[in-house]
Amino acid sequence: MGRRACLLPLLSSIVANVAAIDKGSFLRDDVIEKDVAIIGGGASGTYAAVRLREDYNASIVLVERDDHLSGHVNTHTIPGTNTSINYGVQSYMRYGGAEDFFRRMGVELDPRGYSPRRSTNINLDVETGKALAGFITPSSNETNAALDRWREFTKKYTRFMDPGYWDFPPPDAIPEELLLPFGEIAQKYKIEPAMIRITNIAGVGQGGVRDLMTLNMVAAFGYPVAEGVKNGFIAPLGSNSVLYQRAYDLLKNDVLLSSQIVEGERSESGVRLVVQSTDGTKKLIKAKRLLISAQPSLENMQPFDLDEAETDVYSTWARSGTLVGIAEIPCINENNSLTFLPKAVVPNNYLAVKDYPYQLRFDSTGPVGSKLFRVFWTAKDPMPVDETKKAIASTFQRAIDAGTLNTTGTCEISYKAASDHNAIIWKNDVGLIKSGFVQRLYGLQGKRATWYTGWSWTAHYSSNVWAYTDTVLPRLLKGLKAAV
């Protein structure tokens, strides 16, 4: 009752701010009428736009708040060179239509697959900055055997979890294993040696994985991901951003960049949206269907005239913090990478790998001699980029003060690029899942002519998101031509 009471003022303010949108107040050239309006130009929104327009012959308009398409694909080009470094999305799984999407966009895949720069990892105590003495890194054989066991475990549940949750069991039929704390499952199936690999890829469970609901771990690192680890990931030659550049070249007449929705009306027969660009120009979009690929948080959804059912679902999300970047760091040997871990992992307590509010890695990258490192920070709670950079600098300085890096004084982390990948995620709450959260979430699909895709609805990987989008589009298109 208390949570709902707190939400009512917010809901009231949202409703109060949405007046009837008058089409007559817009010039004819500022009114856009399409079959489908797509919000968000990341992996799912871009993919959906290409498929809807090119394969389904639906007219579309794609609205993206940034000045380019790409979502979590981030690329840094070294000034004065043609060398680019991918510091956001690193690779892709051979899953669903991923390889076909690269081919249709004319993007050549690297025949070697995904091959990051090799370096020697040094594990450091996150609290002291000292070398993590006594920590026994699991061998490749131990890790791979544990991953095999995990893959077999997740295979049991892929039928109703991949690529989406359309057929997820009702509350009274959810397999009990999925609701148990992951620590129990990890010990039962001897998954512990794979935890470093799993958490490095999935970025899941910051603050501790033992009490994480197994369902959430399977969602973050399920069967398709485990298969990808076994069979190898794919990656384009050169920049990951080329895929989105090609998509923009194809779609650009139907794309509004540097724009966001400021007002919306939705009904079962269609939607009206006021979109504003960064220069203040406003246009009216009138569409038969709305596809939202951006994360549907209460904040992001404020302009869309939420009803009570939508507000109830979107108020349950948890949040996580992630920052990725490229930085020049002269005092790290470029043949090394650094990983800051909690001391509790010593000597081989791999389930403790996330037993700290945050984790930090510096991975050697870029051309030899560039002294460039990929910075990867994950945290239980999100922070603004500037505060995150300060926390990273403070953690790094502890390693300098401890003498770990064979340098004295300070060593500046000079960022060349950085991106906020903070996210909304499913809450780690068994009671919420048993109350029918998944069914309520998916019950919003198609409500008031609105459909959803993106990683809030499936696993957090581009290939999964594309495969999931392929399940949404036929549903969205059903009856489209009859819509008014």
Side-chain angles (χ1 to χ4, degrees):
M1 179 65 183
R3 176 182 65 82
R4 187 167 178 178
C6 290
L7 289 173
L8 288 176
L10 172 59
L11 180 59
S12 299
S13 67
I14 293 171
V15 173
N17 288 334
V18 179
I21 298 172
D22 179 15
K23 179 180 176 180
S25 64
F26 292 84
L27 297 175
R28 179 176 298 179
D29 289 344
D30 290 332
V31 177
I32 301 170
E33 298 196 24
K34 299 289 183 179
D35 291 327
V36 185
I38 304 168
I39 311 303
S44 57
T46 300
Y47 180 82
V50 171
R51 291 226 58 203
L52 283 168
R53 203 186 76 172
E54 301 299 305
D55 299 336
Y56 290 105
N57 198 33
S59 61
I60 62 101
V61 58
L62 172 60
V63 180
E64 167 55 43
R65 67 181 179 182
D66 288 336
D67 61 1
H68 62 282
L69 304 180
S70 76
H72 284 180
V73 169
N74 305 114
T75 302
H76 169 66
T77 300
I78 299 176
T81 75
N82 292 322
T83 301
S84 60
I85 304 171
N86 299 308
Y87 66 94
V89 174
Q90 299 287 288
S91 59
Y92 302 83
M93 290 173 287
R94 294 181 174 89
Y95 182 67
E99 291 173 282
D100 287 341
F101 191 41
F102 281 105
R103 278 192 289 267
R104 80 178 298 169
M105 291 294 104
V107 177
E108 185 178 357
L109 294 175
D110 192 325
R112 300 168 299 172
Y114 173 58
S115 52
R117 177 173 171 172
R118 293 186 177 276
S119 60
T120 300
N121 183 62
I122 299 174
N123 295 307
L124 305 180
D125 185 330
V126 68
E127 293 190 81
T128 67
K130 296 179 180 179
L132 200 59
F135 178 56
I136 303 170
T137 303
S139 69
S140 295
N141 288 340
E142 290 174 319
T143 298
N144 290 336
L147 282 169
D148 285 342
R149 292 189 288 271
W150 178 248
R151 186 174 63 255
E152 289 305 307
F153 176 83
T154 59
K155 187 176 183 179
K156 297 183 293 185
Y157 304 115
T158 190
R159 69 188 186 278
F160 54 72
M161 293 185 67
D162 300 306
Y165 300 82
W166 301 103
D167 299 319
F168 193 78
D172 59 356
I174 301 172
E176 186 61 29
E177 282 187 322
L178 291 178
L179 302 178
L180 290 175
F182 173 70
E184 293 183 23
I185 295 297
Q187 291 176 334
K188 178 180 178 180
Y189 292 93
K190 297 180 172 56
I191 310 300
E192 298 100 318
M195 290 315 303
I196 294 175
R197 180 80 63 83
I198 289 173
T199 55
N200 280 348
I201 293 173
V204 66
Q206 200 62 55
V209 298
R210 293 180 194 82
D211 295 329
L212 186 69
M213 187 167 38
T214 298
L215 170 64
N216 286 358
M217 181 62 81
V218 177
F221 197 95
Y223 184 71
V225 190
E227 276 283 283
V229 172
K230 179 182 179 180
N231 299 322
F233 296 110
I234 58 176
L237 280 171
S239 167
N240 280 332
S241 295
V242 170
L243 178 70
Y244 292 90
Q245 292 165 1
R246 299 276 173 84
Y248 177 72
D249 290 341
L250 175 69
L251 300 168
K252 59 185 175 183
N253 291 334
D254 294 313
V255 177
L256 300 177
L257 296 177
S258 303
S259 302
Q260 59 184 341
I261 305 302
V262 294
E263 190 176 352
E265 292 176 353
R266 295 178 295 139
S267 70
E268 297 303 323
S269 61
V271 301
R272 290 188 178 195
L273 308 168
V274 178
V275 58
Q276 180 173 302
S277 64
T278 52
D279 66 5
T281 302
K282 290 185 178 181
K283 296 180 182 293
L284 174 65
I285 297 173
K286 184 180 179 182
K288 299 172 184 176
R289 298 285 190 272
L290 174 63
L291 179 63
I292 294 178
S293 71
Q295 297 181 78
S297 65
L298 280 178
E299 179 183 8
N300 290 342
M301 294 296 294
Q302 279 195 32
F304 293 96
D305 182 24
L306 296 181
D307 65 16
E308 188 172 356
E310 293 164 333
T311 301
D312 181 65
V313 170
Y314 299 143
S315 66
T316 64
W317 297 117
R319 293 182 176 273
S320 66
T322 301
L323 181 139
V324 294
I326 293 292
E328 181 181 355
I329 312 176
C331 58
I332 303 179
N333 185 321
E334 66 179 356
N335 294 318
N336 295 144
S337 292
L338 305 181
T339 302
F340 291 82
L341 295 171
K343 191 174 182 178
V345 299
V346 176
N348 58 355
N349 182 14
Y350 306 125
L351 281 175
V353 68
K354 289 284 190 173
D355 283 6
Y356 202 71
Y358 64 83
Q359 188 178 59
L360 174 62
R361 296 204 321 264
F362 296 100
D363 295 325
S364 183
T365 189
V368 174
S370 65
K371 304 292 286 187
L372 292 176
F373 293 82
R374 179 178 184 252
V375 182
F376 186 75
W377 162 281
T378 58
K380 184 177 180 180
D381 299 305
M383 296 189 297
V385 169
D386 288 345
E387 289 186 30
T388 301
K389 286 182 177 180
K390 290 178 182 177
I392 291 171
S394 178
T395 303
F396 185 62
Q397 186 62 40
R398 289 200 286 271
I400 295 174
D401 295 341
T404 308
L405 301 180
N406 296 319
T407 188
T408 58
T410 60
C411 175
E412 183 179 357
I413 300 174
S414 178
Y415 287 92
K416 306 303 178 184
S419 182
D420 170 354
H421 286 192
N422 291 345
I424 58 170
I425 56 177
W426 289 20
K427 209 170 199 179
N428 185 42
D429 186 335
V430 172
L432 181 66
I433 300 300
K434 293 181 76 171
S435 74
F437 167 77
V438 178
Q439 286 74 23
R440 291 196 301 277
L441 175 67
Y442 269 64
L444 299 181
Q445 290 282 20
K447 183 181 174 68
R448 300 167 74 192
T450 303
W451 295 84
Y452 302 86
T453 185
W455 75 345
S456 298
W457 305 81
T458 183
H460 298 182
Y461 307 88
S462 297
S463 300
N464 291 72
V465 163
W466 294 335
Y468 175 69
T469 302
D470 283 334
T471 72
V472 174
L473 299 186
R475 292 171 165 89
L476 176 151
L477 291 165
K478 189 176 181 180
L480 178 70
K481 297 308 178 183
V484 295

